[in-house]
Amino acid sequence: MITDIEKGAAVRGTAATDGRKAVITWLTVVTVLVFAMIVLGGVTRLTNSGLSMTEWKPITGWLPPLDEAAWVAEFERYKTFPEYQKINKGMSLDAFKRIYAFEYAHRVLGRVIGLAFFVPFVVLLLLRKIPKSMAPRLALLFLLGAAQGGMGWFMVKSGLVDHPDVSHYRLTAHLGLASLIFAALLWTIFDLVERNRPPAAPAPDRLRRASYFLLALIALQILVGGFVAGLSAGFIYTDWPMMGGTFIPDDFLSLQPWFHNFLENPSTIQFTHRMLGYAILIAGIWFFLISRGADVDRRLRNGALVLLALILLQVILGILTLLYVVPVSLGAKHQGGGMLVLAAALYVLHRIRAASPAKAAGQPRG
């Protein structure tokens, strides 16, 4: 016979499960929007649209120019800045509208993400659907999102002064913070999904170490990719596997002191990006082989396979992007592919960390 206490516990358990599903759905939607934002940011960069909006209006910047007079006024303002004067002099109003559209969409999507996070966060918090232990983390994520908006304008400002291009350091910081937010959202979703799930068999230490090493390489590659984008280093050498007919470009260490080449020399940075790509591919194969030879659960095995497949696809996209001289379509896919590789690496690491040696004994495999 089921007691009232047991019935109450069952109801509370069902409510907790429903609340967790609601939070997972909400965070998944936000994560997809952040992914789209990162890809759109790459498109904005590749179409040279990022400096078309020369003001930052966080509250009142929802609407674009609404009539021809407003468009003319916006275009006249753009003409007073270095990008028009040094690169786009003589541009038509219609051409200006086209580049403006990408930057406008990028900024509006940022505001949409802010609302998509903040409003459900408050509602779910009031309804007590969010686990108490997770509320501070989610609040920090919102603050990081707000900081990302400020970082974006800080980046744009660097291209509105003398040189009509944004600082590659600020661009990399902008990309790095976006990637961190994307990764933190995914990790939070994985935490919620894993709650109350039977623990898997613990993974071998070498697999754990390999997962950390692979994730570190991927994170470094994303930052180097920011340098590549900021310095337009992808346009320097467009042959493969060589660079200007040699494996190591002739101007690899042309700057002094030598370490400046890894910060300022487009050729060195493209070479570094290529080498890291190869290193990630080798590490991905190594991780996959270790996972196949270890006694691990099915989800981790499948995650390792997906991770390797995404790495291979990303390498192919990178090569094609070079050979076709960085077209917008391939460049955007390459940036999106980088985020998918990051997501897969986070998943396998989370699966490894979720395995509890103390609880795994006697538990069925997932």
Side-chain angles (χ1 to χ4, degrees):
M1 189 175 201
I2 300 175
T3 66
D4 290 340
I5 294 176
E6 290 172 331
K7 288 180 180 178
V11 169
R12 286 193 297 273
T14 301
T17 300
D18 291 343
R20 188 168 68 250
K21 287 180 179 178
V23 175
I24 290 171
T25 301
W26 159 55
L27 291 178
T28 300
V29 170
V30 174
T31 303
V32 171
L33 289 174
V34 170
F35 176 83
M37 182 73 164
I38 292 171
V39 174
L40 182 56
V43 172
T44 301
R45 174 67 185 170
L46 290 166
T47 54
N48 297 311
S49 304
L51 299 178
S52 58
M53 294 180 70
T54 56
E55 291 180 300
W56 188 43
K57 300 175 181 177
I59 307 300
T60 61
W62 281 92
L63 295 176
L66 296 177
D67 55 34
E68 197 67 10
W71 273 113
V72 170
E74 189 73 23
F75 190 30
E76 290 302 317
R77 177 177 172 78
Y78 173 71
K79 288 179 179 180
T80 65
F81 287 90
E83 184 174 73
Y84 177 83
Q85 296 167 356
K86 297 183 178 181
I87 297 177
N88 290 334
K89 199 168 185 66
M91 168 186 272
S92 68
L93 178 59
D94 286 340
F96 172 70
K97 288 179 180 180
R98 284 193 292 272
I99 63 170
Y100 188 98
F102 286 112
E103 177 63 9
Y104 174 75
H106 188 59
R107 295 195 189 190
V108 168
L109 182 55
R111 291 175 171 88
V112 169
I113 291 171
L115 287 175
F117 188 95
F118 181 73
V119 174
F121 175 58
V122 173
V123 172
L124 292 169
L125 203 59
L126 291 175
L127 294 176
R128 298 182 179 180
K129 300 293 186 182
I130 296 175
K132 290 182 180 179
S133 60
M134 200 161 280
R137 185 200 303 189
L138 295 173
L140 177 59
L141 269 171
F142 178 74
L143 293 177
L144 285 175
Q148 176 70 340
M151 177 64 75
W153 177 243
F154 182 61
M155 176 190 70
V156 169
K157 280 183 65 177
S158 65
L160 299 177
V161 186
D162 297 314
H163 182 62
D165 210 350
V166 300
S167 161
H168 65 288
Y169 296 110
R170 297 187 191 186
L171 185 147
T172 301
H174 190 49
L175 175 61
L177 184 53
S179 302
L180 176 62
I181 293 169
F182 178 70
L185 284 166
L186 282 171
W187 196 266
T188 303
I189 293 169
F190 297 154
D191 279 347
L192 288 165
V193 170
E194 288 295 331
R195 288 196 173 203
N196 302 325
R197 177 177 279 177
D205 286 342
R206 63 173 183 166
L207 192 63
R208 182 186 298 265
R209 290 193 297 268
S211 68
Y212 277 113
F213 178 68
L214 183 53
L215 181 60
L217 284 178
I218 292 167
L220 179 60
Q221 179 72 313
I222 289 170
L223 296 179
V224 174
F227 274 38
V228 171
L231 292 171
S232 299
F235 295 92
I236 301 299
Y237 295 102
T238 57
D239 52 335
W240 184 85
M242 300 300 167
M243 298 179 67
T246 61
F247 186 73
I248 300 176
D250 295 334
D251 53 349
F252 179 68
L253 294 176
S254 60
L255 301 182
Q256 295 297 328
W258 65 269
F259 60 85
H260 278 192
N261 290 280
F262 294 92
L263 301 173
E264 303 283 349
N265 187 338
S267 298
T268 308
I269 290 166
Q270 192 197 119
F271 178 80
T272 303
H273 196 55
R274 291 188 184 202
M275 294 305 105
L276 278 171
Y278 300 149
I280 290 169
L281 178 58
I282 293 169
I285 294 171
W286 174 45
F287 182 85
F288 174 76
L289 293 175
I290 293 175
S291 71
R292 282 298 179 270
D295 186 21
V296 295
D297 74 296
R298 175 176 51 82
R299 286 190 295 272
L300 180 52
R301 284 177 180 271
N302 292 342
L305 176 60
V306 171
L307 175 57
L308 178 58
L310 287 172
I311 291 172
L312 284 167
L313 178 61
Q314 181 69 346
V315 169
I316 292 169
L317 279 173
I319 294 169
L320 291 175
T321 301
L322 274 176
L323 294 178
Y324 285 93
V325 197
V326 199
V328 174
S329 59
L330 283 175
K333 289 182 178 68
H334 190 53
Q335 182 141 326
M339 292 301 105
L340 292 179
V341 170
L342 174 62
L346 287 167
Y347 176 78
V348 296
L349 176 59
H350 196 279
R351 287 298 306 153
I352 290 171
R353 286 174 56 88
S356 169
K359 296 180 181 179
Q363 292 284 357
R365 295 293 171 83

